[in-house]
């Protein structure tokens, strides 16, 4: 009998595919249903952010950072603004710092809700997706109340904020916290502890600690591997050192530490911690003027600064070089998803097509951030 | 560990491969490293017991000045919680830097990006292709002297 | 129904053409409103409103959707296998529809009461898988091919537990005729096969077995109709839409229709085998509720409740992976079904 001829099948997952979370293209090499190689092809959403930034003044870059990781614009703005402020060496009013932290944490909740919801959708459960988006809507309403925009805010300015918050915002936020605590449990019961969901995600896409650290993976993806590393604790920026919160890591409650389920559940835990931070910040927020430190002209001296922050997706850094003019000489964004995604080939080999979808979803990538 | 200590340690091992420590600029102090020794330097940084720089946070390609390109490494240690900034400077005429992707896997895509946008060649990189731009794009856009091409595959570029 | 129609219209060709008309009418109306029900139920589960723009409560929604689909251009992939590509939707739809021929809607209302009814049903619904494979192959699309291959693997595997759990009832009833299954289970809810069927009080001991068999049959048929959590054929997050990818307009609607038609068909089988078919749950207590018109009501009520459960599951559960699906079938469903079969055999011998 002639030998049965088998060959590997190459399929293109994306750029238009429901579960690549944007316009990512994965070239999968398959042996039956088993994936033998994954080759990510990036750049479909490349908007030359870094080149544009060189032609803008410093404050003009902020709206561009909004559009990097469009699901967590506040954190992007915060990171960029912190880097510019470091160059300028200016002192920020305390009220501004508090509001920034509140916004960043609200944004973290919103971003994690999208991550959890879309992850459920990747697994085939559509209902949790809508539940999450319903709650995210409430966060977006808060943002709308404070700055008028729902997705791309341009809220955090160099040295201050575009608008002060109102007492109404504080009451509404407190109401939201009250409403949201039980909702986390609800989503957990519906999705996180669902037997089929655990079967789908536990022990899939193992990312060992040393590989994760070496590959520059960060955020919930890193903590899912059991590394207790959160920049808010380890290298506190803004005023995070004033608040009491826990760093959540994957515990291996189901599956093993470092698999998709643990990466996923870290996000659910973290929302709870974000609520804690917001509560503390709301209770102790001082009075003050949010515009008092905004410089008339942002013109730092020649030099450079690198600031890294803990965005919802991980370590977001901005490397800014100033040549003493009004425009930055070079802006480099150390994008979170870019680094997280780079391990995908390593950890999805040997799994099935359906698992690649789950692995990709567990990184919570945003293509605006990867391609810039 | 303080940056001066780390610097002195490196200086002792690598001698001329390490330039002066610059502290006069705002933000991080940094030093230059020889582009042809950066691989050994980073391997030392990672594996030396008292340094343990296990995480390359950021690798940026920079159009440094009129004649030079630079690669900037922001390196952190998760274990010991210290950090350094290392720069490699190479002339635009021969922009070749040793790869560090075998030391830190994180450098893999960052180096591809630096190659793509700035045009720095990383010697020894396993898969040095363009990453953000399409494969047949010409030029390296983040260089200061970059001119946007008129046409790309017959399509008009400037709108 | 054959008898009534021949009485009314005489024994000629026209009669035999007329017999399927009420069934076709039912299937069409059911499929249209099952789609609407699915959308409405999912909307309620997700705190949405659902379709509400066409007529009251969106009652015309799916009808208008169908009209739209008919108007749409059929976009055909240029490198398709033309014959198979065009044939596939019809095969799938026909197979789903032909199962209805043996569904006993009431004691007089059945397409044709074959003495091998159940056997016919399993045979004919399996033909659908040929259509799906054809569609997957002929689309000349790798995703479609994957979808098609998965379906074949899935349906062929799940036919075994389906048949095995059905055989449990066949053994007890000693027949394969769908009408007889329903007839045997007369006399109230405790004579249904899920409660051990008619017989002496000793049947209590087989109630757990029968419940397990019923659940097994329901789940396996769920897998055969490719509904979530077993909808690996479509698996929109992995295979985009599986075999449906390259189909557009009315050809897609055929697949869509077939799925919903099959939903009720398999519910009808579970109803007939385990839930007393068209029998009233009150048995002879209220004889009025056992007239043929009410029998239709009971059958639909039971069948539609199961359809509701299918919809409910779909909007609650995530999807399983292909290997887990197969593991579930070969390592759990089939052994359990075999044990059930064995125990029922013992029961028949000794009781």
């Amino acid at each position: 009998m002639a030998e049965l001829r088998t060959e590997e099948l190459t399929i293109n997952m994306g750029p238009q595919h429901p579960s690549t979370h944007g316009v990512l293209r994965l070239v999968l090499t398959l042996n039956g249903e088993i994936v033998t190689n994954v080759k990510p092809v990036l750049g479909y959403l490349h908007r030359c952010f870094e080149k544009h930034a060189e032609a803008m003044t410093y404050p003009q870059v902020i709206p561009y950072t909004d559009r990097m990781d469009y699901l967590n614009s506040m954190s992007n703005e915060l990171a960029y603004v912190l880097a510019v402020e470091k160059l300028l060496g200016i002192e920020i009013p305390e009220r501004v710092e508090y509001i920034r932290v509140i916004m960043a944490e609200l944004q973290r909740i919103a971003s994690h809700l999208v991550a959890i919801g879309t992850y459920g959708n990747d697994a085939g459960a559509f209902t949790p997706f809508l539940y999450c988006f319903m709650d995210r809507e409430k966060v977006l309403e808060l943002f709308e109340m404070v700055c008028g925009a729902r997705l791309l805010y341009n809220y955090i300015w160099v040295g201050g904020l575009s608008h002060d918050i109102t007492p109404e915002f504080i009451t509404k936020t407190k109401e939201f916290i009250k409403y949201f605590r039980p909702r986390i449990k609800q989503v957990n019961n519906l999705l996180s502890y669902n037997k089929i969901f655990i079967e789908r995600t536990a022990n899939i896409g193992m990312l060992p600690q040393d590989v994760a650290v070496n590959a520059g993976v960060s955020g919930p993806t890193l903590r899912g591997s059991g590394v207790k590393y959160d920049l808010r604790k380890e290298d506190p920026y803004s005023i995070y050192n004033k608040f009491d919160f826990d760093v959540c890591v994957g515990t291996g409650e189901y599956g093993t530490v470092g698999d998709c389920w643990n990466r996923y559940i870290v996000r659910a835990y973290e929302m709870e911690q974000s609520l804690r931070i917001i509560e503390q910040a709301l209770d102790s927020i001082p009075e003050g003027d949010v515009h008092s430190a905004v410089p008339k002209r942002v013109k730092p001296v020649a030099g450079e600064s690198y600031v890294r922050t803990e965005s919802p997706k991980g370590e977001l850094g901005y490397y800014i070089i100033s040549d003493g003019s009004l425009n930055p000489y070079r802006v480099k964004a150390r994008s979170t998803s870019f680094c997280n995604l780079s391990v995908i080939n390593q950890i999805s080999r040997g799994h099935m097509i359906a698992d690649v979808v789950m692995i990709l979803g567990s990184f919570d990538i945003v293509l605006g951030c990867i391609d810039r | 560990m303080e940056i001066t200590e780390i610097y002195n340690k490196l200086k002792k091992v690598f001698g001329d491969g390490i330039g002066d420590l610059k502290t006069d600029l705002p933000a991080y102090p940094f030093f230059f490293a020889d582009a042809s020794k950066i691989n050994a330097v980073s391997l030392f940084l990672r594996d030396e017991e008292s340094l343990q720089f296990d995480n390359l946070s950021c690798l940026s390609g920079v159009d440094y000045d009129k004649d030079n390109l630079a690669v900037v490494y922001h390196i952190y240690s998760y274990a010991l919680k210290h950090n350094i900034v290392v720069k490699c400077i190479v002339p635009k005429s021969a922009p070749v830097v040793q790869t560090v992707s075998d030391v830190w896997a994180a450098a893999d895509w960052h180096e591809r990006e630096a190659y793509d946008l700035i045009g720095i060649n990383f010697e020894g990189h396993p898969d040095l292709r363009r990453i953000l731009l399409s494969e047949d794009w010409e030029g390296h856009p983040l260089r200061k002297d970059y001119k946007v091409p008129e046409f790309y595959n017959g399509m008009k570029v400037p709108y | 129904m054959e008898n009534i129609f021949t009485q009314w219209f005489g024994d000629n060709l026209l009669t035999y053409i007329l017999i399927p008309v009420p069934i076709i009418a039912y299937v069409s109306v059911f499929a249209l409103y099952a789609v609407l029900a699915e959308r409405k139920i999912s909307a309620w589960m997700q705190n949405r409103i659902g379709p509400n723009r066409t007529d009251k409560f969106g009652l015309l929604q799916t009808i208008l959707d169908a009209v739209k689909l008919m108007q749409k251009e059929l976009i055909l992939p240029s490198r398709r296998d033309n014959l198979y590509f065009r044939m596939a939707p019809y095969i799938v739809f026909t197979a789903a529809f032909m199962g209805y021929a043996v569904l006993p809607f009431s004691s007089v209302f059945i397409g044709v009461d074959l003495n091998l009814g159940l056997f016919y049903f399993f045979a004919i619904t399996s033909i659908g898988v040929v259509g799906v494979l054809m569609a997957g192959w002929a689309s000349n699309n790798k995703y479609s091919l994957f979808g098609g291959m998965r379906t074949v693997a899935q349906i062929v595997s799940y036919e075994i537990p389906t048949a095995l759990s059905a055989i449990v009832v066949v053994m007890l009833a000693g027949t394969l005729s769908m009408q007889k299954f329903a007839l045997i289970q007369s006399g109230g809810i405790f004579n249904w096969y899920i409660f051990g069927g008619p017989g002496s009080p000793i049947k209590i001991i087989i109630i757990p077995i029968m419940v397990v068999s019923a659940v097994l049959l329901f789940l396996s048929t769920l897998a055969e109709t490719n509904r979530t959590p077993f909808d690996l054929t479509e698996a929109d997050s992995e295979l985009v839409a599986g075999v449906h990818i390259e189909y557009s307009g009315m050809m897609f609607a055929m697949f869509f229709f077939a799925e919903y038609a099959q939903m009720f068909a398999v519910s009808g089988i579970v109803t007939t085998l385990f839930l007393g078919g068209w029998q009233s749950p009150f048995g002879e207590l209220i004889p009025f509720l056992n007239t043929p018109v009410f029998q239709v009501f009971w059958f639909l009520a039971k069948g539609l409740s199961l359809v509701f459960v299918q919809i409910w599951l779909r909007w609650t559960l995530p999807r399983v992976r292909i290997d887990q699906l197969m593991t579930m079938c070969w390592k759990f469903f089939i052994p359990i079904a075999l044990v059930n079969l064995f125990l029922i055999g013992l029961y028949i011998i000794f009781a």
Side-chain angles (χ1 to χ4, degrees):
Chain A
M1 195 176 121
E3 202 177 315
L4 192 65
R5 195 175 64 99
T6 60
E7 59 185 66
E8 288 186 325
L9 183 69
T10 308
I11 66 172
N12 256 323
M13 195 181 246
Q16 272 83 40
H17 189 281
S19 53
T20 51
H21 296 236
V23 282
L24 172 67
R25 176 170 150 219
L26 295 176
V27 182
L28 303 180
T29 312
L30 302 170
N31 177 11
E33 287 252 355
I34 307 288
V35 175
T36 54
N37 194 29
V38 182
K39 198 177 111 190
V41 180
L42 317 177
Y44 288 92
L45 206 60
H46 184 54
R47 291 148 298 170
C48 323
F49 156 69
E50 287 164 10
K51 186 76 178 169
H52 276 299
E54 288 170 14
M56 304 278 157
T57 63
Y58 285 91
Q60 279 175 343
V61 178
I62 297 174
Y64 281 83
T65 63
D66 273 345
R67 283 148 183 83
M68 252 185 62
D69 180 350
Y70 40 78
L71 292 177
N72 92 71
S73 306
M74 286 286 187
S75 310
N76 293 327
E77 289 171 9
L78 181 62
Y80 172 76
V81 163
L82 285 174
V84 176
E85 281 165 2
K86 197 166 182 181
L87 268 178
L88 287 168
I90 51 176
E91 196 66 24
I92 308 301
E94 201 165 349
R95 183 177 175 83
V96 173
E97 300 273 29
Y98 270 87
I99 297 174
R100 281 180 182 178
V101 167
I102 293 171
M103 292 304 161
E105 292 308 311
L106 280 174
Q107 185 72 77
R108 187 182 310 275
I109 291 173
S111 170
H112 281 352
L113 279 172
V114 176
I116 290 173
T118 48
Y119 200 44
N121 197 18
D122 286 346
F126 189 64
T127 305
F129 173 74
L130 288 171
Y131 280 21
C132 289
F133 267 66
M134 234 154 61
D135 296 343
R136 175 172 177 260
E137 193 67 20
K138 295 217 169 4
V139 182
L140 296 189
E141 271 164 20
L142 291 176
F143 286 146
E144 192 180 5
M145 187 191 274
V146 73
C147 66
R150 290 163 56 82
L151 192 69
L152 308 160
Y153 313 102
N154 190 15
Y155 178 66
I156 299 175
W157 285 1
V158 177
L161 303 164
S162 72
H163 301 80
D164 199 353
I165 57 169
T166 54
E168 196 196 354
F169 172 83
I170 296 182
T171 41
K172 278 272 163 65
T173 311
K174 282 181 174 160
E175 273 169 33
F176 169 77
I177 294 170
K178 216 174 190 178
Y179 156 87
F180 189 58
R181 278 235 163 83
R183 294 283 290 188
I184 301 177
K185 285 205 186 78
Q186 197 178 344
V187 169
N188 273 345
N189 287 339
L190 185 62
L191 185 66
S192 315
Y193 298 111
N194 182 304
K195 181 86 174 82
I196 299 179
F197 182 73
I198 292 171
E199 286 286 317
R200 282 295 304 277
T201 52
N203 299 321
I204 299 296
M206 290 293 296
L207 181 62
Q209 280 190 17
D210 50 337
V211 175
V213 173
N214 192 256
V217 167
S218 53
T221 315
L222 176 72
R223 292 193 283 277
S225 293
V227 183
K228 200 163 185 166
Y229 193 82
D230 189 323
L231 288 172
R232 290 175 295 171
K233 270 266 196 273
E234 305 294 329
D235 188 7
Y237 54 94
S238 195
I239 49 161
Y240 273 108
N241 47 5
K242 286 191 181 173
F243 302 114
D244 174 35
F245 63 98
D246 300 328
V247 177
C248 310
V249 289
T251 50
E253 195 178 343
Y254 292 97
T256 10
V257 174
D259 63 4
C260 286
W261 193 83
N262 283 289
R263 279 200 284 279
Y264 157 88
I265 202 70
V266 166
R267 298 199 172 90
Y269 295 152
E270 265 182 17
M271 292 199 294
E272 183 74 40
Q273 299 304 325
S274 291
L275 287 181
R276 274 177 70 189
I277 297 177
I278 297 169
E279 263 178 342
Q280 291 168 42
L282 283 175
D283 286 341
S284 55
I285 185 164
E287 290 298 317
D289 182 9
V290 297
H291 287 122
S292 63
V294 177
K296 287 270 176 309
R297 219 159 59 120
V298 182
K299 195 177 176 188
V301 291
E304 53 183 68
S305 74
Y306 177 69
V307 165
R308 42 184 207 147
T309 59
E310 185 75 25
S311 90
K313 304 197 164 58
E315 182 181 325
L316 175 70
Y318 278 96
Y319 176 49
I320 302 178
I321 303 179
S322 156
D323 57 352
S325 70
L326 284 170
N327 308 335
Y329 181 77
R330 169 92 165 93
V331 175
K332 152 99 185 176
R334 188 265 187 214
S335 96
T336 320
S337 309
F338 185 77
C339 297
N340 288 358
L341 184 67
S342 61
V343 291
I344 189 164
N345 185 19
Q346 204 174 344
I347 67 173
S348 42
R349 269 183 236 153
H351 288 304
M352 301 186 132
I353 308 176
D355 296 333
V356 173
V357 171
M358 298 316 284
I359 291 169
L360 191 66
S362 71
F363 291 145
D364 184 22
I365 55 166
V366 164
L367 266 293
C369 190
I370 293 177
D371 292 345
R372 282 158 286 164
Chain B
M1 212 191 278
E2 286 301 309
I3 177 119
T4 42
E5 278 179 72
I6 300 168
Y7 173 75
N8 290 336
K9 209 166 221 179
L10 277 173
K11 189 83 186 164
K12 215 188 292 172
V13 178
F14 291 98
D16 285 348
I18 304 290
D20 296 334
L21 183 68
K22 307 220 167 158
T23 48
D24 48 336
L25 288 171
Y28 294 101
F30 66 90
F31 54 82
F32 289 108
D34 198 329
S36 58
K37 285 188 181 145
I38 185 70
N39 190 285
V41 171
S42 26
L43 202 63
F44 177 76
L45 284 172
R46 188 190 72 177
D47 291 341
E48 168 67 27
E49 199 59 40
S50 59
L51 298 177
Q52 290 188 29
F53 282 100
D54 45 10
N55 176 246
L56 175 73
S57 174
C58 189
L59 185 154
S60 332
V62 182
D63 190 343
Y64 208 66
D65 49 32
K66 232 173 132 276
D67 308 311
N68 293 312
L69 300 174
V71 182
V72 185
Y73 303 85
H74 291 92
I75 311 168
Y76 288 78
S77 165
Y78 279 14
L80 302 174
K81 301 195 173 50
H82 50 219
N83 64 304
I84 51 165
V85 182
V86 183
K87 291 185 184 182
C88 283
I89 249 183
V90 280
K92 277 185 182 173
S93 50
V96 180
V97 179
Q98 271 191 348
T99 183
V100 294
S101 60
D102 50 345
V103 182
W104 297 291
D108 187 345
W109 282 20
H110 278 300
E111 282 179 356
R112 277 177 68 187
E113 190 192 318
Y115 164 73
D116 190 358
L117 300 178
I118 302 276
I120 297 162
N121 286 312
F122 288 91
E123 197 184 355
H125 189 283
D127 184 27
L128 199 62
R129 289 177 292 123
R130 284 184 184 273
I131 185 163
L132 292 177
L133 304 179
S134 52
E135 276 166 25
D136 51 357
W137 192 265
E138 278 167 23
H140 304 283
L142 276 184
R143 288 209 190 173
K144 292 286 176 188
D145 56 0
Y146 176 73
K147 289 270 185 303
V148 180
E150 279 284 292
F151 288 98
Y152 164 68
N153 281 349
M155 291 177 278
K156 205 164 178 297
V157 177
Y159 55 89
Chain C
M1 199 150 72
E2 211 180 333
N3 301 335
I4 306 178
F5 272 64
T6 39
Q7 268 170 37
W8 289 351
F9 303 108
D11 191 3
N12 56 39
L13 189 64
L14 183 71
T15 314
Y16 290 97
I17 294 172
L18 278 177
I19 288 175
V21 168
I23 302 178
I24 294 182
Y26 172 73
V27 179
S28 314
V29 173
F30 167 76
L32 283 176
Y33 282 94
V35 177
L36 182 66
E38 171 124 48
R39 294 177 63 177
K40 273 292 188 189
I41 291 168
S42 66
W44 288 329
M45 286 178 68
Q46 295 157 351
N47 284 1
R48 294 185 286 119
I49 297 168
N52 70 338
R53 290 284 135 176
T54 50
D55 204 36
K56 275 232 173 348
F57 316 117
L59 281 176
L60 289 176
Q61 184 69 43
T62 31
I63 297 171
L64 295 175
D65 280 349
V67 170
K68 182 203 78 176
L69 282 170
M70 276 182 227
Q71 291 169 349
K72 274 182 88 164
E73 183 191 354
L74 288 178
I75 299 162
L76 304 170
S78 55
R79 300 191 60 188
R80 66 189 182 272
D81 191 324
N82 197 16
L83 177 67
Y84 291 157
F85 187 81
R86 286 174 183 276
M87 240 162 79
Y90 298 99
I91 291 182
V92 172
F93 182 74
T94 312
F97 172 67
M98 277 172 82
Y100 278 81
V102 290
L103 281 193
F105 283 83
S106 81
S107 52
V108 291
F109 191 80
I110 180 170
V112 49
D113 186 15
L114 293 174
N115 55 0
L116 283 173
L118 187 63
F119 190 71
Y120 164 83
F121 183 85
F122 286 140
I124 208 76
T125 47
S126 308
I127 290 182
V129 75
V130 177
V132 175
L133 184 60
M134 268 184 186
W137 178 258
S139 297
N140 194 16
N141 180 318
K142 286 166 185 170
Y143 285 106
S144 297
L145 184 60
F146 263 108
M149 297 306 276
R150 279 182 181 190
T151 315
V152 176
Q154 177 181 338
I155 294 185
V156 168
S157 309
Y158 271 91
E159 257 167 21
I160 300 168
T162 313
L164 286 178
S165 8
I167 286 173
V168 167
V169 176
V170 172
M171 281 164 72
L172 285 169
T175 178
L176 276 169
S177 150
M178 297 293 277
Q179 198 63 277
K180 286 225 179 72
F181 284 125
L183 275 171
I184 290 170
Q185 299 179 65
S186 68
I189 190 164
F190 292 107
N191 282 356
W192 296 358
Y193 273 119
I194 194 164
F195 295 116
S200 52
I202 198 175
K203 72 170 186 174
I204 284 173
I205 55 168
I206 61 163
I207 289 179
I209 304 172
M210 298 313 284
V211 173
V212 169
S213 292
V215 172
L216 218 54
L217 182 66
F218 180 69
L219 289 179
S220 323
T221 50
L222 202 62
E224 275 199 68
T225 46
N226 298 321
R227 298 276 303 175
T228 315
F230 308 112
D231 64 338
L232 295 159
T233 320
E234 291 156 58
D236 57 306
S237 65
E238 303 141 32
L239 299 185
V240 191
V243 292
H244 301 165
I245 289 181
E246 301 287 0
Y247 284 92
S248 55
M250 212 49 210
M251 283 169 124
F252 167 72
M254 297 286 261
F255 278 109
F256 203 63
F257 247 50
E259 183 187 323
Y260 283 89
Q262 222 176 7
M263 264 165 75
F264 186 81
V266 297
S267 300
I269 288 294
V270 178
T271 305
T272 312
L273 289 182
F274 284 98
L275 299 179
W278 39 258
Q279 296 283 1
S280 146
F282 306 108
E284 304 306 316
L285 289 177
I286 315 170
F288 166 68
L289 292 180
N290 255 341
T291 52
V293 177
F294 265 96
Q295 286 167 352
V296 174
F297 167 77
W298 291 122
F299 185 77
L300 293 186
K302 292 167 188 172
L304 294 178
S305 313
L306 290 177
V307 170
F308 172 74
V309 176
Q310 290 180 347
I311 294 173
W312 182 13
L313 285 176
R314 169 163 182 183
W315 296 104
T316 312
L317 295 175
R319 180 183 306 122
V320 299
R321 207 172 53 213
I322 183 76
D323 61 321
Q324 290 164 348
L325 183 86
M326 292 313 224
T327 310
M328 207 149 83
C329 177
W330 292 98
K331 291 194 182 157
F332 298 101
F333 281 18
I334 291 178
I336 293 173
L338 281 171
V339 169
N340 276 350
L341 201 63
F342 178 70
L343 292 177
I344 289 293
L346 289 182
Y347 169 78
I348 290 171
I349 293 171
F350 294 110

